[in-house]
């Protein structure tokens, strides 16, 4: 909560009038205007707020979700349930003037202003606009409005917003619930464990929790949750359940999370990338699918990999743009090696390449780490020898054993 001095500074910075400051100060120092009531059609209770330092009332599942979100929203400085009664003025469905008293769900003080918030289930607004068309209206810019509430709140120097359950992703709320114990009961993070995680994220941004724990057997997963709670590290809380360790990607900053989310949103709906690309010394044609990318090389069998790994290759400068006039970069020796390889050998090489890319991103592996490290060494050696590391991943079954003839010619005849 804000101290008295911090509150006065906030009012000055946001140019809050003395009259509005008095209204907010009264709400800050007063108990809720009413007690919430539980009925058969709703849920009510109290939430022990860490941000506010006391219990906050809620009267519906939607208000409960709003509290969870405001607890973790850095833009929310304070919030007060059932803050005060205000009178609304509008015409009812029958056309008669009506002036009911109304208690907003919350007064929310944000960094750049304050206002009342009324929270409703998304599916309830259509019915409310039918029964009270002057009180609840769809906003042409999206969302919903309450013009009478805006008028009354505006007279007090405050805003008024109608919020809905559709504004918060259910997975986001579920993950906040999962992390609740770590912000209500602070977890002491050992400095060595915290440094382990920071070092891993510096080398493998976007590492999954499962791979992180496999790489550091002495690391306790609670350290990860505690660092997420304090926002020392970050993940997309809307992407997957935190209980699904193979789908939770960790990053060092919120900007990295947003960049990855934006990159996923910016994927072109056109499944075919028209211009060819140079990958590992070969020209490839690329076809984007739902969750996979299909790569067709100038020589050899197609290679598919998850979209996330393809984006990782782009970010790591493993892919270079080309054009249809680009000379074929693959040497004749390398081309002959790939063309000579059997389909089974190329399938095995493709699998090894996927494991190398998974290892680089910190994804879960299906083989031992030592095997991947051996394949990386072979890949780099072939890259130096032939300009194409893929050749180092091919089986060399035909070259095994002693091929010199050992049966005398007379015996063969």
């Amino acid at each position: 909560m804000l101290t008295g001095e911090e509150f006065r500074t906030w009012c000055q910075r946001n140019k809050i009038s003395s009259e509005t400051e008095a209204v907010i100060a009264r709400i800050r120092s007063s108990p809720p205007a009413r007690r919430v009531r539980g009925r058969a059609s709703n849920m009510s209770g109290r939430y022990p707020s860490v941000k506010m330092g006391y219990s906050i009332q809620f009267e519906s599942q939607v208000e409960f979700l709003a509290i969870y979100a405001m607890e973790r929203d850095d833009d929310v400085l304070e919030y007060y349930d059932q803050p005060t009664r205000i009178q609304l003025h509008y015409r009812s469905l029958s056309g008669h003037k009506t002036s009911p008293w109304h208690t907003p769900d919350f007064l929310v003080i944000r960094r750049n202003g304050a206002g009342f918030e009324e929270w409703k289930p998304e599916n309830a607004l259509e019915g409310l606009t039918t029964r009270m068309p002057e009180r609840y209206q769809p906003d042409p810019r999206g969302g919903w409005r309450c013009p009478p509430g805006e008028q009354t709140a505006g007279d007090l120097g405050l805003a008024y917003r109608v919020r809905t359950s559709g504004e918060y992703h259910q997975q986001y709320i579920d993950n906040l619930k999962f992390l609740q114990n770590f912000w209500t009961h602070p977890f002491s993070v050992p400095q060595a464990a915290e440094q382990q995680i920071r070092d891993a994220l510096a080398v493998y941004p976007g590492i999954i929790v499962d791979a992180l724990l496999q790489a550091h057997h002495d690391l306790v997963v609670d350290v990860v949750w505690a660092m997420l709670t304090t926002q020392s590290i970050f993940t997309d809380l809307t992407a997957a359940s935190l209980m699904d360790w193979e789908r939770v990607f960790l990053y060092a900053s919120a900007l990295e999370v947003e960049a990855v989310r934006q990159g996923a949103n910016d994927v072109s709906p056109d499944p075919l990338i028209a211009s060819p690309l140079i990958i590992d010394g070969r020209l490839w044609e690329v076809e984007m699918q739902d969750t996979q990318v299909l790569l067709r090389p100038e020589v050899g069998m197609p290679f598919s990999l998850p979209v996330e790994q393809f984006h990782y290759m782009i970010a790591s400068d493993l892919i270079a743009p080309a054009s249809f006039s680009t000379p074929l970069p693959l040497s004749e020796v390398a081309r002959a090696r790939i063309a000579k390889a059997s389909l089974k050998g190329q399938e095995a090489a493709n699998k090894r390449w996927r494991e190398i890319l998974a290892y680089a991103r910190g994804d879960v592996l299906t083989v031992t780490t030592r095997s991947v490290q051996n394949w990386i060494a072979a890949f780099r050696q072939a890259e130096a020898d032939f300009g194409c590391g893929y050749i180092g991943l091919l089986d060399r079954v035909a070259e095994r054993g002693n091929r010199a003839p050992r049966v005398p010619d007379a015996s063969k005849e």
Side-chain angles (χ1 to χ4, degrees), residues 39-40 50 75 134 157 169 192 198-199 208 280 316 321 370 377 392:
R39 296 183 294 272
V50 174
D75 185 52
E134 286 199 8
H169 196 292
R198 293 190 183 280
D199 291 344
I208 60 174
D280 185 35
S316 303
R370 178 55 63 105

Side-chain angles (χ1 to χ4, degrees), residues 29-46:
S29 61
S30 303
R34 60 181 284 269
R35 291 186 179 276
V36 299
R37 298 186 298 273
R39 296 183 294 272
S41 59
N42 75 343
M43 60 173 285
S44 64
R46 293 175 174 271

Side-chain angles (χ1 to χ4, degrees), residues 329-372:
L330 196 62
S331 68
E332 289 302 321
V333 175
R335 185 184 301 276
R337 285 288 188 100
I338 296 174
K340 186 179 178 182
S342 66
L343 292 179
K344 186 175 181 180
Q346 291 183 63
E347 287 177 356
N350 285 354
K351 184 178 185 302
R352 291 164 186 162
W353 199 5
R354 288 190 200 94
E355 294 291 345
I356 289 175
L357 293 172
Y359 178 82
R361 283 192 74 245
D363 295 342
V364 63
L365 302 175
T366 62
V367 296
T368 64
T369 302
R370 178 55 63 105
S371 294
V372 177

